[in-house]
Amino acid sequence: MASLMRESHPLTLKVMRLSRPTLADTRTLPMDSSTAVLAQALREAEQNRPTASGQIFSDLQLSDAQLPLDAFPLSETLVLPRTFGTMFLGETFSAQMCICNESAFVVRDVAVNVVMQTATQQVPLLDNSAVQLAAGQPLNVQVAHEIKELGTHVLGCTITYLSAQGEHRTLQRSFRFQAANPLVVKTKVNHLARDVLLEVQVHNATHATLVLERLRFEPSSPFAAEDLNAPHGDTALLWGGSAGFMQPGDARQYLYRLRAPIASEEASVEQERAVQYATALGKLDILWRGAFGSVGRLQTSQLLRKSPGMFLIEVDKAEIDKAEIDKAEIDETDSSVTLETPFCVRARVRNVSENTMTVLATVDANKHPLVMPCGPTRHDLGDLAVGEAREICLEFLPLAAGVQRFGAMVFVDSVSGYTRELGHLLEVFVA
């Protein structure tokens, strides 16, 4: 009864996804000359009972390597996909829609409206003007939509028309499919002073080979990005030739360095806070190609980090005093110092709080006993206004060879009682 009550329409709607074709399989098998009796029997069976795919045995011998193309398993014939296949994020969904008048009468005022419905939005794809369809006349239209969301997508088609009896009628159809993630992107953030080292891992989660054509990082303010993957800017090593090919399950790793455009000693307190408390690092823009040159593009959401925050007292800069190189016999090329020879380090201490501070700096002589302070260990910096910096000179004596950390310090504000402990100022090679 329900089927009898179902509304019938003079119009039919057929939808076909427009996908790239594939190369047909030749399905030929080489014969081994050592089993001539079996090969002859199989050849007779093939002649008496041909298969739908044609020849299944080739005349190429197993030991014959002179004609490799004859044994190639793919032919030059293109085959259209028999199923819908899989849609991936970043690809473009394209479909051919055919509306045909199956009745013997003229159907007037045929209007087609097509939308793509996702979990968060409804995107209009087509809304054409009304046309007239004669008996047996088709109407072909194409729609396209870039997949930007994961999950369920519904292609909704609504056709309105005026029947031969003068009635306004509506034909509605919907087609549902899922969008999967082709690439899995993982990130790791490392802090290097004011800079950020961003490690990116891209994993091919599909069952097909992808070719990465571009992977670009777009930094957010206030950072500027440096690509550490291509030496001297030569991207051919990354994307040229077979370097960009990713087999199913393959992963690639990339490294970027994010820098603040203004040096710490030149930045204001507000600019320094903007750098230290920024959580958004930027976005990744990935472009790849699949079978037969199909293009996919994926842009990630904002990559975030946990803000390292700021101390109220910062050491903007600490370096070995170059003016003392001759006296301390410091090699300027490798910044090494000589064993049991004093050297001087200049440190720039800055007030990045919101109030004036009276700072007392003390060198901890017990934390790094292999590089001992040999000068004054207490330095009164006096009053430091907001954003003001002051430089102090510290003398040290290396007592052991090798790479040594040194310069543990304690900074105290005598006004507020704020205390900051610094593990070390620098690392130096003692020769």
Side-chain angles (χ1 to χ4, degrees):
M1 180 65 70
S3 61
L4 294 176
M5 297 178 60
R6 186 176 300 166
E7 186 179 12
S8 61
H9 294 274
L11 301 179
T12 58
L13 171 64
K14 295 182 179 179
V15 178
M16 180 182 70
R17 177 190 172 189
L18 299 179
S19 303
R20 304 276 177 164
T22 58
L23 293 173
D25 190 349
T26 58
R27 300 180 183 275
T28 60
L29 300 175
M31 293 186 301
D32 192 348
S33 58
S34 63
T35 57
V37 176
L38 178 60
Q40 182 179 0
L42 292 174
R43 178 70 70 190
E44 293 176 355
E46 177 189 14
Q47 294 175 354
N48 296 331
R49 298 178 183 179
T51 61
S53 60
Q55 182 183 8
I56 61 173
F57 295 99
S58 71
D59 295 329
L60 180 67
Q61 303 299 324
L62 287 177
S63 59
D64 190 358
Q66 302 299 322
L67 302 174
L69 292 180
D70 293 347
F72 197 67
L74 299 178
S75 69
E76 299 178 356
T77 305
L78 298 180
V79 179
L80 292 176
R82 299 179 181 179
T83 60
F84 180 84
T86 306
M87 282 302 305
F88 291 106
L89 185 69
E91 293 183 337
T92 298
F93 169 79
S94 300
Q96 175 81 15
M97 308 180 66
C98 179
I99 302 98
C100 185
N101 180 11
E102 302 288 351
S103 68
F105 307 98
V106 176
V107 178
R108 302 184 302 273
D109 298 340
V110 179
V112 183
N113 179 268
V114 183
V115 298
M116 183 66 75
Q117 179 72 46
T118 66
T120 60
Q121 61 180 339
Q122 180 174 293
V123 181
L125 302 183
L126 178 66
D127 190 7
N128 70 333
S129 57
V131 297
Q132 178 176 296
L133 295 181
Q137 180 183 356
L139 173 63
N140 293 294
V141 295
Q142 288 186 7
V143 294
H145 173 70
E146 184 180 355
I147 305 299
K148 298 181 179 180
E149 297 183 36
L150 295 173
T152 304
H153 287 64
V154 179
L155 182 69
C157 309
T158 303
I159 303 173
T160 59
Y161 62 94
L162 188 65
S163 66
Q165 293 76 25
E167 299 178 354
H168 288 280
R169 305 185 65 182
T170 302
L171 172 63
Q172 290 184 331
R173 295 288 186 270
S174 61
F175 305 89
R176 186 186 304 267
F177 63 91
Q178 297 288 330
N181 197 353
L183 299 173
V184 177
V185 180
K186 298 181 179 180
T187 60
K188 182 180 179 181
V189 177
N190 300 281
H191 294 97
L192 184 64
R194 298 172 75 243
D195 297 346
V196 179
L197 291 178
L198 177 64
E199 300 179 40
V200 178
Q201 184 186 79
V202 180
H203 175 261
N204 181 8
T206 70
H207 297 288
T209 301
L210 301 180
V211 182
L212 292 182
E213 287 200 343
R214 184 186 70 208
L215 191 144
R216 181 176 60 201
F217 183 74
E218 301 174 353
S220 299
S221 178
F223 295 108
E226 178 186 0
D227 190 345
L228 302 180
N229 306 292
H232 311 294
D234 186 7
T235 58
L237 298 176
L238 293 176
W239 321 117
S242 61
F245 278 80
M246 293 184 65
Q247 301 295 334
D250 281 359
R252 297 285 188 273
Q253 289 186 316
Y254 304 94
L255 183 64
Y256 298 90
R257 183 168 186 168
L258 279 61
R259 300 176 180 269
I262 304 176
S264 59
E265 57 268 16
E266 300 175 0
S268 63
V269 175
E270 290 74 16
Q271 291 173 326
E272 188 66 19
R273 287 174 182 165
V275 172
Q276 297 295 340
Y277 287 102
T279 57
L281 299 179
K283 299 179 180 180
L284 278 173
D285 187 17
I286 308 174
L287 180 68
W288 73 90
R289 289 188 181 270
F292 280 84
S294 59
V295 180
R297 183 173 180 266
L298 177 64
Q299 188 177 67
T300 66
S301 57
Q302 279 286 352
L303 303 179
L304 304 177
R305 68 162 179 173
K306 184 178 179 181
S307 170
M310 288 180 62
F311 294 99
L312 300 184
I313 301 175
E314 289 284 357
V315 178
D316 282 348
K317 189 176 182 181
E319 61 182 4
I320 297 176
D321 190 357
K322 303 301 181 182
E324 301 291 332
I325 291 178
D326 294 335
K327 183 194 306 183
E329 300 182 11
I330 301 172
D331 187 351
E332 189 174 8
T333 59
D334 57 10
S335 297
S336 63
V337 297
T338 305
L339 182 65
E340 297 182 355
T341 302
F343 65 94
C344 178
V345 172
R346 294 194 177 274
R348 191 169 183 267
V349 183
R350 188 180 189 188
N351 174 17
V352 292
S353 69
E354 298 179 351
N355 303 296
T356 300
M357 306 181 77
T358 302
V359 180
L360 177 64
T362 305
V363 180
D364 187 350
N366 299 320
K367 194 165 186 179
H368 300 291
L370 300 182
V371 182
M372 295 290 294
C374 60
T377 57
R378 293 171 58 89
H379 298 266
D380 188 358
L381 304 183
D383 294 338
L384 294 180
V386 177
E388 184 181 358
R390 198 155 295 168
E391 190 177 84
I392 56 177
C393 183
L394 308 173
E395 294 184 5
F396 293 92
L397 178 66
L399 302 177
V403 178
Q404 307 292 346
R405 284 185 175 183
F406 67 96
M409 300 188 68
V410 178
F411 301 94
V412 179
D413 175 26
S414 59
V415 177
S416 63
Y418 171 79
T419 301
R420 191 226 165 150
E421 295 183 1
L422 182 64
H424 69 282
L425 279 175
L426 289 173
E427 290 185 351
V428 69
F429 177 71
V430 181

